[in-house]
Amino acid sequence: MNISISRFFQTAFALVGLIAVSCTHGNRNQSDVFTAPQVEYSQDSVSPAVIQDFSLPSSSGETLSIANEVAKHKLTIIDFWASWCGPCMKEMPMMKNLYDTFEKQGLGIVGISLDTEKDKWLTALQTMGMSWTNLSDMKGWESDIARFYEVSSIPYTMVVDSNGTIVAGGLRGESLRLYIEKHINK
């Protein structure tokens, strides 16, 4: 059975939800409350989705492949965010702590920014101490990658294994930390 990634997430996310504040695209303003999906996948659930490889410019200007970045780590958090998004910036100290705590155990983070202004993106990276891989095409909500994964609110995370299999999605804060703590050494 061929399930698109978006349909896979829509089906899975219909089962589990969390009220959260995020920055959204569309008719909602940036402080709306919405149902943010959180899901952890198991071997018994729907056939696992695998991220499609893509390449984007990094903060240093080098074009990087997501498949190559993911293959370097046991688990990788793919974090859709933007410097103008208050909830995203509020999450960054926790993300930095998570990265600093679990990097040596095999955790990677790939930030995918929905910024449109490179100077603001780079300033946020430096100010927040985001030393992990960060990518952006500077297209904001029109980013081909954000559109492909139907990202309509940020921050939004996916956790993938070294093969690119999506093992969790929509986790934030303590839920994300607990997931990483539980699965990083498996």
Side-chain angles (χ1 to χ4, degrees):
M1 174 165 71
N2 185 4
I3 277 185
S4 74
I5 290 176
S6 64
R7 181 66 54 210
F8 173 74
F9 279 120
Q10 289 170 359
T11 302
F13 292 163
L15 303 174
V16 183
L18 168 78
I19 299 299
V21 176
S22 293
C23 298
T24 60
H25 179 58
N27 294 329
R28 299 180 188 142
N29 74 38
Q30 294 182 356
S31 62
D32 282 346
V33 174
F34 80 108
T35 302
Q38 289 191 13
V39 67
E40 180 178 328
Y41 306 106
S42 71
Q43 298 298 89
D44 302 330
S45 65
V46 180
S47 298
V50 176
I51 60 168
Q52 182 169 335
D53 193 21
F54 60 85
S55 296
L56 286 174
S58 70
S59 55
S60 65
E62 179 182 10
T63 299
L64 300 177
S65 156
I66 192 68
N68 290 343
E69 292 302 307
V70 164
K72 296 175 186 178
H73 310 284
K74 289 181 187 176
L75 291 176
T76 301
I77 300 168
I78 300 175
D79 180 28
F80 290 89
W81 71 285
S83 65
W84 48 260
C85 170
C88 298
M89 299 310 286
K90 187 175 179 179
E91 288 277 312
M92 285 309 161
M94 185 281 308
M95 293 292 277
K96 179 170 177 17
N97 182 272
L98 197 59
Y99 183 71
D100 292 345
T101 302
F102 295 105
E103 176 190 18
K104 288 186 171 68
Q105 293 171 281
L107 177 67
I109 299 177
V110 176
I112 300 177
S113 174
L114 299 186
D115 277 288
T116 56
E117 297 180 44
K118 189 172 184 175
D119 59 328
K120 290 183 179 180
W121 174 48
L122 295 175
T123 298
L125 296 178
Q126 183 176 14
T127 301
M128 300 305 288
M130 299 164 62
S131 59
W132 51 87
T133 301
N134 277 278
L135 309 173
S136 184
D137 57 12
M138 295 290 116
K139 294 181 181 178
W141 288 111
E142 299 305 313
S143 167
D144 293 335
I145 304 309
R147 294 175 75 134
F148 178 81
Y149 286 104
E150 297 183 358
V151 174
S152 61
S153 62
I154 54 175
Y156 179 76
T157 62
M158 292 188 292
V159 181
V160 299
D161 67 15
S162 61
N163 297 313
T165 301
I166 302 168
V167 295
L171 302 177
R172 291 175 51 186
E174 191 62 19
S175 296
L176 181 58
R177 172 177 281 287
L178 291 172
Y179 184 87
I180 297 302
E181 284 177 357
K182 180 177 177 183
H183 293 91
I184 194 69
N185 290 316
K186 284 189 175 182

